[in-house]
Amino acid sequence: MTGWRSSSSRPFHSATAALVAACTAVGASLVSGCGAVPGVAGGSREPVTVMTWAPEGTRSTNMPGMPSMTEAYARWVNSHGGIDGHKLQVLTCNEHNTATGAAECARRAVKENAVAVIGSYSQYGRAFMAPLEAAGIPYIGGYGVADEEFTSALSYPVNGGQATLLAGTGKQLAVWCERVSLVRPDTVSGDNLPVLLNSGLTAGHRKPTVDIRTTDDAGDYTPQAQAALVGAGAGPDEPGRIGRKAAADRARKGCVTAVLGDRTETFFDSFRRVESDGQKVQIASVIGSVGQPLVNRTGGADGPFEGAYITGWYPEATDPHWGPMREVIREQAFRDDTIDAADPGVQTTWIACTVLKKVVESLHQDKIAPHDLVRALNKGLTVDTGGLTPALRWKFDDMLAAPDFPRIVNRDVTFQVVKDGRLTSAKPGFTDVSSTMEDASALG
């Protein structure tokens, strides 16, 4: 049975005092519009209810920090007078990593009169978008793993999903790797990944990847790890065939990337057991499959991910632009171990909350309905995320010329590398992968 809970924030204290403290401690970028609190004195503005869902306690990818971040944000914003005088109420739902769970969460959102679903994770886009579309409820800032997030007219993504990550990984690895193996889920969504990766590799004049399919909930990936090494030019027969030194040189020019969500760690456990000390290849992945929490847990600078190339959506977790989010976590959720400021799900949810705040503030209405949010977003509302993404806008002119994911309006990625146990920037700023994705779409 799908689990859900309603979270109404604790009562705020003195609105004026809290707002002054917020403007001082958190900064103007966090509480844009500091000053009078519209709607507080008369109390005439109705609450705004949103839902955030994510899988928790499953054998595959889990994202408990996303609902928790929305709840923390609601506590913070309500302690400062709400959003344009509206109290923010949050419903959360465990999607269980199943289509049934995703559909049930969406139906709950409709039943509980949510005006939007924000900052959520589910790979079952068909299951959850249909109920939302029927009710006219916008899906704002989903994690980016479902194809429907980038095709539905009611979806407003804040990142480019796995599509941009794979296109960016291809560009990043093309600089170093003569041969690349990709280990990825054998799913409909997974089928797009090698095409996108190959587009980036081709742009760098490299050969297509060796595509290795598998499940994303296995307990051991030894066969896939062995196949990945062979594909990267580091097979066990190479030393006997070309000599040890030549085999070592050949392996150094090969790369293995795995995109398996939470099971990426399990894959690299298997990989370490079969990789030869004399044939070390470069490893890589994308944010969401490998991140700072995983690097820390596996030994940091002395662990297996030291030197790994990682493609992300946002600046590294230590970037000063994340300061406002960290302050809210410190103030409202410092004891909640499900919220990690380095978790891309938490980061995506923070940006989704930023979008919600901006669009509600733009309306200046006592009552907010789903169609009000949709109208404002479609008319060209621009959201400044404080340097975490390019300015976000979802007008027709902002769409991508790619039929598989036209609603990707943020096509920027970041190139990172694990250095001294920390994810650090491998290349300053953002890299736009628009042309790479359009090329991938043309190739089919």
Side-chain angles (χ1 to χ4, degrees):
M1 181 175 180
T2 301
W4 69 286
R5 62 188 187 274
S6 173
S7 171
S8 55
S9 331
R10 60 192 182 201
F12 57 87
H13 306 296
S14 165
T16 303
L19 191 60
V20 170
C23 291
T24 302
V26 182
S29 64
L30 181 61
V31 287
S32 57
C34 290
V37 185
V40 170
S44 60
R45 295 201 160 170
E46 295 188 3
V48 169
T49 300
V50 298
M51 174 176 274
T52 301
W53 61 59
E56 300 183 41
T58 75
R59 292 184 59 198
S60 189
T61 299
N62 296 293
M63 288 286 177
M66 299 183 78
S68 295
M69 183 70 243
T70 308
E71 291 178 317
Y73 185 87
R75 290 192 295 269
W76 173 78
V77 80
N78 288 338
S79 73
H80 298 147
I83 303 178
D84 199 32
H86 298 273
K87 182 179 181 180
L88 179 60
Q89 297 183 155
V90 177
L91 306 171
T92 67
C93 189
N94 186 350
E95 175 263 11
H96 291 297
N97 258 324
T98 66
T100 300
E104 179 61 21
C105 286
R107 288 193 290 267
R108 285 280 186 187
V110 175
K111 182 179 179 180
E112 300 296 324
N113 299 314
V115 300
V117 174
I118 65 172
S120 296
Y121 181 106
S122 178
Q123 60 180 309
Y124 299 101
R126 290 184 182 179
F128 70 73
M129 279 309 308
L132 297 184
E133 289 173 341
I137 297 175
Y139 187 71
I140 300 173
Y143 188 83
V145 291
D147 294 342
E148 287 74 12
E149 295 180 59
F150 304 112
T151 57
S152 172
L154 285 180
S155 179
Y156 300 88
V158 300
N159 63 45
Q162 288 198 349
T164 54
L165 295 181
L166 266 293
T169 295
K171 294 190 71 170
Q172 187 174 16
L173 296 186
V175 176
W176 312 102
C177 310
E178 293 184 355
R179 291 164 298 279
V180 177
S181 293
L182 168 66
V183 182
R184 52 84 172 183
D186 188 9
T187 62
V188 173
S189 295
D191 289 343
N192 289 327
L193 304 187
V195 178
L196 291 157
L197 179 64
N198 286 339
S199 183
L201 291 173
T202 300
H205 309 290
R206 298 296 190 184
K207 297 178 181 178
T209 185
V210 175
D211 181 22
I212 300 168
R213 308 179 187 188
T214 187
T215 61
D216 60 358
D217 61 356
D220 180 79
Y221 291 97
T222 296
Q224 292 80 17
Q226 292 170 333
L229 284 168
V230 171
D237 297 335
E238 292 300 307
R241 189 175 69 84
I242 62 176
R244 290 185 179 181
K245 185 179 183 303
D249 291 340
R250 180 180 172 89
R252 277 195 293 270
K253 298 174 184 177
C255 291
V256 171
T257 183
V259 182
L260 295 169
D262 279 0
R263 290 291 165 168
T264 303
E265 178 182 4
T266 305
F267 168 78
F268 280 113
D269 282 340
S270 299
F271 183 82
R272 287 196 299 272
R273 290 195 295 270
V274 299
E275 185 183 28
S276 168
D277 287 339
Q279 293 174 272
K280 293 292 186 180
V281 303
Q282 177 65 46
I283 64 171
S285 190
V286 299
I287 209 73
S289 287
V290 173
Q292 191 61 55
L294 175 58
V295 174
N296 294 344
R297 190 170 65 247
T298 54
D302 297 322
F305 294 104
E306 180 69 14
Y309 295 126
I310 308 296
T311 307
W313 295 306
Y314 315 124
E316 61 268 28
T318 56
D319 190 285
H321 292 97
W322 292 113
M325 181 188 73
R326 289 181 177 279
E327 181 63 20
V328 169
I329 294 172
R330 185 200 63 77
E331 180 183 324
Q332 297 292 343
F334 70 97
R335 293 181 178 176
D336 188 342
D337 61 7
T338 67
I339 300 181
D340 188 328
D343 177 358
V346 169
Q347 295 172 345
T348 299
T349 302
W350 169 259
I351 295 171
C353 290
T354 301
V355 174
L356 177 75
K357 184 173 185 288
K358 178 71 173 182
V359 68
V360 171
E361 288 174 338
S362 75
L363 295 171
H364 302 298
Q365 297 176 186
D366 290 340
K367 183 176 181 179
I368 305 294
H371 63 81
D372 296 318
L373 303 181
V374 170
R375 183 179 66 252
L377 290 165
N378 288 348
K379 285 177 65 177
L381 177 76
T382 300
V383 178
D384 181 351
T385 64
L388 298 173
T389 69
L392 300 174
R393 193 178 65 176
W394 295 269
K395 289 186 70 174
F396 179 79
D397 292 345
D398 303 306
M399 301 300 157
L400 182 67
D404 291 335
F405 22 72
R407 294 190 69 80
I408 296 182
V409 299
N410 175 9
R411 278 89 75 169
D412 284 1
V413 297
T414 56
F415 292 161
Q416 301 176 33
V417 63
V418 180
K419 183 178 181 181
D420 298 326
R422 303 296 302 177
L423 275 171
T424 59
S425 176
K427 177 183 177 182
F430 293 96
T431 297
D432 188 332
V433 295
S434 298
S435 60
T436 306
M437 296 178 69
E438 289 169 352
D439 290 345
S441 182
L443 293 173

